[in-house]
């Protein structure tokens, strides 16, 4: 500790009259400056260099991300615990560097602070596969419970990095948008996406980017419909991740189907551009529209079976009522034709997979202990001519 | 649909990995020269030998350890391993077929419904781990069976375990949990 000794000094000649009056009273020490333990030599002497460097890295990361102090303390404690664990103590320096980032990432997730792996990996200049490995083993070894990434918070945070909310030199006046409106509409689009199987199992950021683009276009369609997705991302100062184009297509497909159920839009033949103008209405009535535009597979079968029986019974009944019975069922079938089951996109266009056929009866009766004849094994041996040719070709001794 | 009613689920075994020892040193150059369907990987010190029936790929080390992959049942794996040992015998080595063990079984199973992964993960902590940024499926580990299941939102489940029985038990165990979080 830093300590100053009081000495009694003669005012005339300056010689020391009395010293060594060690005291620990608070009155004597109140003039001393308070030095934090982490900055004094005391901590440096007790902790290893690796641990010190790692703790400093964790603290720097927290400062860069502007995280609250509580996060920093938690992350440092996780880091210290992890480094004492045998599975992290002896790993390469590269992994130890990543460990600090993983601790910060886990802390953020536990406090529902929306930090993505992509952000942390870019701050650490790390490969995502290596980061993923260290993260999963950290979770396992320290038995940490990490809650899921909160999509709502992610929308707010991601949109904060968009540069479309203030007028700037590069941004046309018509492109500037109000932040609150944009966040609200993007949130609704993302909720729609998660209800229609577009979010489960996918990277969250491309979904949010595509939803933000559609929300932005729909708030002022007049000037913005001609702006392509790539240009939007460039103006906003945000990366365009490759899957975002596919997410955009999927979202537009969902919106088109919903629009086909909205009474005042049925007359229009909407396409991918024109449906954007009506996104406000579609989002407002989305619960009703989703129910009508999509159906569960089980319901579809039941209704088809019901229709079949209705169709059979109509010829037997008298003509007018028979026709009346047929018309609504025909109308229903037409609406049914537009409907599609609400499934994850990969199930809608299933790619044909070559699956090995089920075991044939002969194979199923295998025991593994059948005798093996010599003739079967001949096919796995080269003939002498082949061997000679091979020796010559490869010049083996 | 009731979780307790009998639902016949097809579990398709796609890969069985087994090991055995030949209890004798194997000359890899000789196998590469005299054996057909053989690839010699000199840099790593092993030989790959492929059998046609059953369709199996074997990795052979000079110490006499052999790993066989590609079988679709435990019995087929044993037959393939024995055939391989026989072919090594024909090449002139004093092979004794010992320490045969099935080490890993990979199987696929399809549920007749979609699964809400975030809900499933919330209900099944700490066994379930779901990181959409890393992998689209939930990873569920059953410690007692030493089995790992990968559960996709489409209802498709990939199971890996130490033997076929463990894999079947794992699917049986997971069914009620997955049924709870179905769409």
């Amino acid at each position: 500790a830093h300590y100053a000794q009081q000495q009694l000094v003669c005012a005339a000649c300056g010689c020391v009259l009395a010293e060594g009056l060690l005291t620990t009273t608070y009155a004597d020490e109140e003039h001393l400056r308070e030095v934090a333990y982490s900055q004094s030599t005391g901590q440096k002497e007790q902790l290893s260099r690796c641990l010190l460097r790692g703790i400093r890295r964790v603290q720097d990361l927290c400062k860069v991300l502007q995280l609250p102090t509580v996060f920093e303390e938690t992350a440092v404690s996780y880091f210290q615990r992890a480094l004492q664990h045998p599975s992290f103590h002896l790993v390469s320096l590269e992994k130890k560097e990543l460990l600090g980032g993983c601790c910060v990432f886990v802390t953020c997730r536990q406090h529902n602070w929306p930090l993505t792996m992509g952000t942390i990996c870019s701050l650490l200049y790390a490969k995502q596969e290596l980061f993923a490995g260290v993260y999963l083993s950290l979770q396992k070894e320290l038995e940490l419970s990490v809650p899921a990434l909160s999509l709502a918070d992610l929308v707010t945070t991601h949109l904060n990095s968009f540069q479309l909310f203030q007028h700037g030199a590069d941004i046309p006046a018509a492109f500037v948008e109000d932040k609150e409106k944009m966040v609200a509409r993007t949130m609704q689009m993302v909720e729609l996406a998660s209800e229609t199987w577009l979010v489960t199992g996918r990277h969250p950021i491309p979904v949010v980017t595509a939803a933000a683009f559609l929300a932005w276009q729909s708030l002022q369609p007049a000037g913005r419909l001609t702006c392509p997705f790539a240009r939007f991302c460039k103006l906003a100062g945000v990366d365009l991740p490759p899957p975002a184009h596919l997410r955009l297509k999927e979202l537009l497909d969902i919106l088109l189907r919903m629009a086909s159920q909205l009474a005042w839009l049925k007359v229009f033949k909407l396409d991918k551009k024109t449906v954007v103008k009506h996104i406000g209405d579609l989002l407002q009535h989305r619960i009703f529209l989703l129910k009508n535009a999509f159906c569960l597979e089980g319901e579809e079968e039941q209704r088809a079976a019901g229709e079949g029986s209705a169709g059979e019974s109509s010829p037997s009944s008298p003509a007018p009522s028979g026709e009346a019975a047929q018309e609504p069922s025909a109308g229903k079938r037409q609406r049914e034709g537009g409907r599609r089951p609400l499934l994850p996109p990969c199930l809608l266009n299933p790619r044909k997979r070559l699956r090995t056929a089920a075991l044939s009866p002969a194979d199923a009766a295998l025991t593994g202990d059948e005798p093996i004849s010599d003739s079967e094994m001949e096919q796995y041996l080269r003939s002498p001519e082949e061997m000679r040719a091979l020796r010559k070709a490869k010049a083996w001794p | 649909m009731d979780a307790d009613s009998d639902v016949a689920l097809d579990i398709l075994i796609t890969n069985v990995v087994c090991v055995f020892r030949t209890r004798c040193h194997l000359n890899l150059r000789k196998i590469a020269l005299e054996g057909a369907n053989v690839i010699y990987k000199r840099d790593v010190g092993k030989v790959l030998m492929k059998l046609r029936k059953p369709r199996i790929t074997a990795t052979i080390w000079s110490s006499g350890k052999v790993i066989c992959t590609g079988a679709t049942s435990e019995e087929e794996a044993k037959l393939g391993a024995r055939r391989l040992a026989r072919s090594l015998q024909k090449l002139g080595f004093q092979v004794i077929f010992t320490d045969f063990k099935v080490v890993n079984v990979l199987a696929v199973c399809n549920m007749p419904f979609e699964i809400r992964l975030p809900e499933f993960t919330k209900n099944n902590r700490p066994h379930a781990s779901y990181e959409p940024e890393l992998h689209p499926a939930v990873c569920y580990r059953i410690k007692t069976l030493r089995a790992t299941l990968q559960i996709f939102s489409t209802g498709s489940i990939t199971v890996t375990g130490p033997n076929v029985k463990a894999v079947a038990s794992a699917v049986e165990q997971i069914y009620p949990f997955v049924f709870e979080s179905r769409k």
Side-chain angles (χ1 to χ4, degrees), chain B residues 78-95:
Chain B
K78 188 163 188 194
L79 183 63
R82 283 177 55 236
R83 281 224 167 112
L84 191 74
R86 198 78 163 78
S87 63
L88 289 174
Q89 244 175 16
K90 295 237 99 180
L91 284 170
F93 299 102
Q94 302 293 323
V95 166

Side-chain angles (χ1 to χ4, degrees), chain A residues 102-256:
Chain A
C102 286
C103 295
V104 174
F105 179 71
V106 167
T107 313
C108 287
R109 280 275 282 269
Q110 286 180 332
H111 288 90
N112 284 322
W113 188 278
L115 182 68
T116 58
M117 275 190 206
T119 313
I120 274 278
C121 284
S122 65
L123 281 175
L124 294 170
Y125 304 107
K127 286 174 270 185
Q128 197 170 31
E129 298 87 43
L130 200 59
F131 181 86
V134 177
Y135 166 68
L136 291 171
S137 46
L138 175 73
Q139 206 182 357
K140 197 173 96 172
E141 300 296 344
L142 292 188
E143 285 168 21
L144 300 168
S145 142
V146 184
L149 187 65
S150 149
L151 216 52
D153 293 329
L154 184 65
V155 167
T156 320
T157 315
H158 192 55
L159 288 182
N160 278 342
S161 60
F162 279 47
Q163 288 158 20
L164 288 170
F165 308 121
Q166 281 168 353
H167 292 271
D170 306 326
I171 304 172
F175 283 16
V176 178
E177 187 52 71
D178 175 51
K179 194 173 181 187
E180 309 290 329
K181 279 196 220 165
M182 182 127 159
V183 169
R185 192 159 276 194
T186 311
M187 203 85 85
Q188 287 182 320
M189 286 293 286
V190 168
E191 273 170 23
L192 176 70
S194 85
E195 279 161 32
T196 51
W197 291 106
L198 299 184
V199 170
T200 311
R202 270 97 173 264
H203 256 271
I205 291 282
V207 180
V208 175
T209 314
F213 175 60
L214 284 176
W216 173 79
Q217 273 191 329
S218 68
L219 285 168
Q220 268 186 52
R224 300 175 182 176
L225 275 180
T226 48
C227 176
F229 197 6
R231 190 173 173 226
F232 166 77
C233 290
K234 204 163 152 207
L235 288 173
V238 170
D239 285 330
L240 175 56
H245 279 290
L246 286 168
R247 297 299 99 82
L248 185 65
K249 220 194 308 179
E250 285 164 0
L251 266 170
L252 283 169
D253 179 53
I254 299 279
L255 289 168
L256 279 168

